Coordinates of all heavy atoms in Angstrom, one line a residue:
A7 N -18.3 -13.9 29.6 CA -17.1 -14.8 29.4 C -17.5 -15.7 28.1 O -16.5 -16.0 27.4 CB -16.9 -15.7 30.5
L70 N -19.9 -6.8 21.9 CA -19.4 -5.9 20.9 C -17.8 -6.0 20.8 O -17.3 -5.9 19.6 CB -19.7 -4.4 21.2 CG -21.2 -4.1 21.0 CD1 -21.4 -2.6 21.4 CD2 -21.7 -4.3 19.6
A73 N -17.2 -9.2 18.7 CA -17.5 -9.0 17.3 C -16.4 -8.2 16.6 O -15.9 -8.4 15.5 CB -18.8 -8.3 17.1
Q77 N -13.8 -8.9 13.4 CA -13.6 -8.0 12.3 C -12.2 -7.6 12.1 O -11.6 -7.5 11.0 CB -14.4 -6.7 12.5 CG -14.1 -5.6 11.5 CD -14.3 -6.0 10.1 OE1 -15.0 -6.9 9.7 NE2 -13.8 -5.1 9.2
Q78 N -11.4 -7.4 13.2 CA -10.0 -7.1 13.1 C -9.2 -8.2 12.4 O -8.4 -8.0 11.6 CB -9.4 -6.9 14.5 CG -9.8 -5.5 15.1 CD -9.1 -5.3 16.4 OE1 -9.6 -5.6 17.5 NE2 -7.9 -4.8 16.4
Q118 N -15.2 14.4 28.8 CA -16.0 15.5 29.1 C -16.1 15.7 30.6 O -16.0 14.7 31.4 CB -17.4 15.2 28.6 CG -17.5 15.2 27.0 CD -17.0 16.4 26.4 OE1 -17.3 17.5 26.8 NE2 -16.2 16.2 25.4
A137 N -19.5 4.8 37.5 CA -18.2 4.3 37.9 C -18.0 2.9 37.6 O -16.9 2.4 37.2 CB -18.0 4.7 39.4
S202 N -20.7 12.4 11.1 CA -20.7 12.4 12.5 C -19.9 11.2 13.1 O -19.2 11.4 14.1 CB -22.2 12.3 13.0 OG -22.3 12.2 14.4
I208 N -12.0 10.3 14.6 CA -10.9 11.1 14.5 C -10.6 11.8 15.8 O -9.5 12.0 16.3 CB -11.0 12.1 13.3 CG1 -9.6 12.8 13.1 CG2 -12.1 13.1 13.6 CD1 -8.6 11.9 12.5
K238 N -7.9 4.8 32.6 CA -8.3 6.2 32.2 C -7.3 6.8 31.3 O -7.7 7.7 30.5 CB -8.3 7.0 33.5 CG -8.9 8.4 33.3 CD -9.0 9.1 34.6 CE -9.6 10.5 34.4 NZ -9.7 11.2 35.7
I248 N 1.3 3.3 18.3 CA 1.5 2.9 16.9 C 0.1 2.6 16.2 O -0.1 3.0 15.0 CB 2.4 1.7 16.8 CG1 3.8 2.1 17.4 CG2 2.5 1.1 15.4 CD1 4.8 0.9 17.4
N507 N 40.7 8.3 -14.7 CA 42.2 8.2 -14.8 C 42.8 7.5 -13.6 O 44.0 7.3 -13.5 CB 42.9 9.6 -15.0 CG 42.4 10.2 -16.3 OD1 42.1 9.5 -17.3 ND2 42.4 11.5 -16.4
S512 N 36.7 0.4 -9.4 CA 35.2 0.6 -9.1 C 34.8 2.0 -9.4 O 33.7 2.3 -9.8 CB 35.0 0.4 -7.6 OG 35.7 1.2 -6.8
L545 N 38.1 8.0 -21.7 CA 37.5 6.7 -21.8 C 38.4 5.8 -22.7 O 38.5 4.6 -22.5 CB 36.1 6.8 -22.4 CG 35.0 7.3 -21.6 CD1 33.7 7.5 -22.4 CD2 34.7 6.2 -20.5
L609 N 33.7 -9.8 -25.3 CA 34.2 -8.5 -25.6 C 34.5 -8.5 -27.2 O 34.2 -7.6 -27.9 CB 35.4 -8.2 -24.8 CG 36.2 -6.9 -25.2 CD1 35.3 -5.7 -25.0 CD2 37.4 -6.8 -24.3
S610 N 35.1 -9.6 -27.6 CA 35.5 -9.7 -29.0 C 34.2 -9.7 -29.9 O 34.2 -9.0 -31.0 CB 36.4 -11.0 -29.3 OG 36.7 -11.0 -30.7
Q657 N 30.5 -23.0 -39.1 CA 29.3 -23.3 -38.2 C 28.1 -23.6 -39.1 O 27.3 -24.5 -39.0 CB 29.1 -22.2 -37.3 CG 27.9 -22.5 -36.3 CD 27.7 -21.3 -35.3 OE1 28.3 -20.3 -35.4 NE2 26.7 -21.5 -34.4

Side-chain angles (χ1 to χ4, degrees):
L70 291 177
Q77 168 61 14
Q78 283 183 269
Q118 299 302 315
S202 176
I208 192 69
K238 186 175 181 179
I248 295 174
N507 298 333
S512 61
L545 284 170
L609 177 62
S610 179
Q657 184 178 4

